[in-house]
Amino acid sequence: MSTSQPAASRPPEDRATPDRLLHARTGTDVSPEDLVLASGKDLTPRTLEWARRKLAAEGPAALEKLLP
């Protein structure tokens, strides 16, 4: 008895993920909370202040730099 999946149901290994699926931007503003959570940090006054400074310096691109 085989436990392998049929070839039709397996994702092809040689296909790259489409660019439109790699970006996190949804057309909405990036909040300091978004940036803190994307960085994997806890929401604290200190990390929120860090995120505010980072957003002021880099704008919404700060989030793109953190996410793959």
Side-chain angles (χ1 to χ4, degrees):
M1 185 186 297
S2 175
T3 59
S4 65
Q5 295 177 331
S9 65
R10 283 183 286 177
E13 294 177 21
D14 62 340
R15 287 186 48 207
T17 302
D19 192 53
R20 65 182 163 70
L21 297 177
L22 294 175
H23 297 281
R25 295 284 299 158
T26 60
T28 61
D29 291 333
V30 177
S31 71
E33 290 84 1
D34 295 334
L35 196 58
V36 170
L37 294 174
S39 71
K41 299 175 183 178
D42 291 329
L43 288 171
T44 66
R46 182 177 172 200
T47 58
L48 287 170
E49 184 55 36
W50 163 82
R52 285 184 193 98
R53 288 192 311 271
K54 192 160 182 71
L55 284 171
E58 301 175 21
L63 183 63
E64 289 292 330
K65 292 177 182 178
L66 290 173
L67 299 175

